Amino acid sequence: MKKTIGVIGCGWLGLPLAKSFVEDGYTVLGTTTSEDKKSNLSTAKITPYVVTLTPKKIEGDITAFLEKIEIIIINIPPRLRGSNTYKESYIQKMRLLHTAIKKAGVKKVIFASSTSVYGNIDGDVTEDTIAVPVTESGKQMLASEHLFLNDKELETTVIRFAGLIGPDRHPVINLSKKTTVPNGNFPVNLIHLNDCINVIKTIIKQNYWDTIFNAAYPLHPSKKEYYTIQAQKLNIPTPCYTDNNTQKGKKIISDRLIRVNDFKFLTSIFE
């Protein structure tokens, strides 16, 4: 019997993910922060809820959303710019959401995180590498991971996604506008939207709970090589890179997905 899935955060990744689950025959509930976007979810046969997480409270009927689902996918990126007060918001939001999840009795959690939690580590990075975040968003993302992983009443799987690419989203667009970009010899760490969805669906289908997965496409050309090719494909200015002669850069290895679970990526980062 298909489980009922809740996607909190139906944006660039969350909406196509929710649609894909609907196509597979799941009952899917999704949240948006805007009344205007409810119709987009309804049209896709996703039961819509308007829910907004703030540092002080959850606005909207989070109880009705949570009480109907068996698995929750948390897909809310931190936006930690501005004042120090605002920078405290992400972990506070996650604490409120964690409390609501516990109260509703939801047991299975997929938490969409980021490889930014590893900070500026040089060399190969697997799930066994100790995360040492240096940015505010990375620090709060790691703290949020721990919040759910350390709760033994929950079955939580964390996915540390590399840089996201796909429809209307590619870093070469902004890079092409810069006159000089450092670390041209560093490897790229990217994953296509199709494989983000593929990873999440595989975790649920195979019951890969209580673990952490890195999710990055297994080819890692240099930034200079990769973004030059992509700029030429789009007929936009080629980013001008300088090399770093003291470091080789961070390479995200999806060790548990590929080596342990024989996961197959579907979409090349060159497409």
Side-chain angles (χ1 to χ4, degrees), residues 51-153:
V51 174
T52 301
L53 273 65
T54 76
K56 294 184 178 180
K57 65 178 180 178
I58 300 177
E59 299 174 351
D61 200 347
I62 189 68
T63 301
F65 170 75
L66 291 172
E67 68 184 9
K68 296 179 177 69
I69 64 177
E70 298 166 81
I71 300 171
I72 184 169
I73 299 167
I74 302 172
N75 178 46
I76 306 174
R79 292 181 173 87
L80 301 174
R81 298 177 181 176
S83 67
N84 288 332
T85 301
Y86 184 57
K87 288 182 179 181
E88 297 299 322
S89 66
Y90 187 74
I91 184 60
Q92 290 176 7
K93 291 176 184 178
M94 292 303 105
R95 288 185 182 122
L96 289 173
L97 182 57
H98 173 261
T99 298
I101 288 170
K102 294 295 292 293
K103 185 176 180 180
V106 180
K107 296 299 182 184
K108 296 183 184 295
V109 177
I110 293 178
F111 185 85
S113 185
S114 166
T115 55
S116 66
V117 299
Y118 291 115
N120 296 328
I121 295 171
D122 200 41
D124 289 357
V125 176
T126 71
E127 293 87 350
D128 293 324
T129 302
I130 296 174
V132 187
V134 294
T135 64
E136 187 64 31
S137 61
K139 291 174 183 177
Q140 293 203 35
M141 187 72 82
L142 184 62
S144 300
E145 288 183 10
H146 290 165
L147 175 67
F148 290 96
L149 286 169
N150 292 340
D151 188 334
K152 299 310 176 185
E153 294 181 356

